[in-house]
């Protein structure tokens, strides 16, 4: 059991560090967002096709027609999520976009209540309210003199929120696919994205240098194929609380990469808002209940 925990921790840490660097690759690619996502899907699909073949997941009958349809729906949501998240980087910086994107658990909470009839407890409402307070702090923390780069700050935040919403939809679809091999789901998702974005990808002006191609291949192979393998391997080996705790490496890594690569330093109000959102997400995911919301023991 100890070796499983150790290996799962290493896999989850690697997956989150890889995720934390994707913003740098997207910005440095110099490609339109739709183009980046298309090539990510294409190279990711090739990688996942090889992985699924090696795992014996391409044989007939391994997925039902209903599950296939749900996986396609989840793929549409995950691709819209990538489009919005990547587009938000140029408006609100990688740091802010990634932090706001971590409101996903609250999107899933609301969707679960609306579509699945799941109960929202007082503790969950508290964490939701706290996350909203953090969002307010981030909005108020807009740099006073950021020039053209920050003209669409509010739009960038809205895009990151939209990305979180579509991620939550994809997560909801995954709930309905329990028992379906996750690597196969990922393959269907990126193949769906490839078909979605092919009509709007300008193939007449492909990346013109080896460096750009190397970035796009890396985003597809490493940030998609390899990351999925590491992530799913970690989820299978780790208890939920450890998986959730290690997932916060992603936004922290993204903030550090943004600072080191692009010199984007968060304002004090933004730091406070980011910390509040991440605290609320941790409390939500780990099931923490504030002391004053816990039921009091009956007096004898």
């Amino acid at each position: 059991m100890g070796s499983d925990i150790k290996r799962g921790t290493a896999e989850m840490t690697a997956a989150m560090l890889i995720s934390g660097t994707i913003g740098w690759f997207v910005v440095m690619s110099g490609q339109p967002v739709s183009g980046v996502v298309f090539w990510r899907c294409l190279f990711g699909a090739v990688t996942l096709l090889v992985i699924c073949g090696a795992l014996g997941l391409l044989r007939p009958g391994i997925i039902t027609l209903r599950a296939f349809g749900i996986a396609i729906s989840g793929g549409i949501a995950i691709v819209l999520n990538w489009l919005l998240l990547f587009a938000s980087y140029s408006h609100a910086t990688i740091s802010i976009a990634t932090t706001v994107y971590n409101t996903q658990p609250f999107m899933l909470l609301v969707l679960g209540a609306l579509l699945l009839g799941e109960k929202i407890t007082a503790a969950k409402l508290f964490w939701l309210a706290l996350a909203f307070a953090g969002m307010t702090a981030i909005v108020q923390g807009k740099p006073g003199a950021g020039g053209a780069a920050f003209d669409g700050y509010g739009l960038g935040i809205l895009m990151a929120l939209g990305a979180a919403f579509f991620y939550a939809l994809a997560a909801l679809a995954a709930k309905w696919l329990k028992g379906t091999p996750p690597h196969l789901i990922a393959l269907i998702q990126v193949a769906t994205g490839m078909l979605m974005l092919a009509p709007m990808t300008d193939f007449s002006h492909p990346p013109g240098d080896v460096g750009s191609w190397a970035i796009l291949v890396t985003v597809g192979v490493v940030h998609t194929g390899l990351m999925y393998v590491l992530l799913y391997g970690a989820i299978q080996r780790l208890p939920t609380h450890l998986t959730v705790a290690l997932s916060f490496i992603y936004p922290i890594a993204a903030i550090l990469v943004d600072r080191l690569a692009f010199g984007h330093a968060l304002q004090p109000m933004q730091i406070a808002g980011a910390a509040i959102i991440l605290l609320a997400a941790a409390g939500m995911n780990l099931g923490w209940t504030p002391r004053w919301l816990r039921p009091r023991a009956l007096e004898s």
Side-chain angles (χ1 to χ4, degrees):
M1 188 64 172
S3 62
D4 268 357
I5 295 288
K6 189 177 293 186
R7 180 175 173 181
T9 299
E11 289 174 336
M12 188 69 185
T13 300
M16 294 301 98
L17 287 174
I18 289 171
S19 296
T21 63
I22 194 169
W24 183 88
F25 282 86
V26 169
V27 173
M28 295 305 294
S29 72
Q31 297 297 304
V33 168
S34 60
V36 174
V37 177
F38 171 80
W39 294 111
R40 177 184 192 179
C41 289
L42 188 148
F43 292 122
V46 172
T47 306
L48 288 163
L49 188 65
V50 173
I51 292 169
C52 288
L55 295 174
L57 301 178
L58 300 179
R59 63 184 185 275
I62 199 164
I63 185 171
T64 66
L65 188 59
R66 176 181 177 275
F68 184 70
I70 293 173
I72 289 176
S73 299
I76 293 171
I78 207 73
V79 169
L80 291 172
N81 145 71
W82 288 339
L83 288 170
L84 286 169
L85 180 62
F86 294 171
S88 70
Y89 293 157
S90 61
H91 295 285
T93 77
I94 294 170
S95 301
I96 293 300
T98 305
T99 302
V100 172
Y101 182 60
N102 273 269
T103 56
Q104 308 152 4
F106 305 101
M107 304 284 186
L108 190 56
L109 171 69
V110 174
L111 287 173
L114 292 175
L115 301 178
L116 302 178
E118 294 179 351
K119 184 180 178 183
I120 299 181
T121 64
K124 289 177 179 178
L125 279 175
F126 169 76
W127 295 121
L128 180 61
L130 194 64
F132 181 77
M135 275 293 311
T136 302
I138 283 179
V139 171
Q140 294 299 319
K142 174 183 176 180
F150 288 98
D151 284 348
Y153 183 76
L155 177 61
I157 289 176
L158 287 175
M159 284 179 169
L161 284 172
F165 171 75
F166 282 112
Y167 183 89
L169 284 180
L172 205 59
K175 282 192 173 189
W176 289 325
L177 291 171
K178 198 169 183 180
T180 304
H183 300 91
L184 185 58
I185 296 172
L187 174 59
I188 294 169
Q189 288 177 340
V190 292
T192 300
M194 207 169 55
L195 294 174
M196 279 175 62
L197 297 174
M200 61 185 75
T201 301
D202 185 3
F203 296 107
S204 63
H205 295 88
D209 58 272
V210 174
S212 296
W213 277 116
I215 287 174
L216 294 173
V217 170
T218 301
V219 169
V221 175
V222 178
H223 291 87
T224 308
L226 177 60
M227 196 276 291
Y228 267 117
V229 172
L230 291 170
L231 179 62
Y232 291 141
I235 288 171
Q236 289 172 355
R237 292 183 176 90
L238 295 176
T240 302
H241 72 275
L242 193 50
T243 302
V244 171
L246 290 171
S247 69
F248 288 99
I249 293 173
Y250 165 41
I252 293 169
I255 290 170
L256 289 174
V257 167
D258 198 25
R259 180 71 178 95
L260 295 173
F262 302 111
H264 292 154
L266 295 178
Q267 305 296 311
M269 186 73 82
Q270 292 174 317
I271 293 173
I276 290 170
I277 287 176
L278 295 180
L279 172 64
M284 174 75 178
N285 281 312
L286 295 172
W288 294 342
T289 301
R291 187 184 299 274
W292 62 89
L293 291 176
R294 295 173 189 167
R296 295 183 180 180
L298 294 175
E299 297 181 3
S300 55

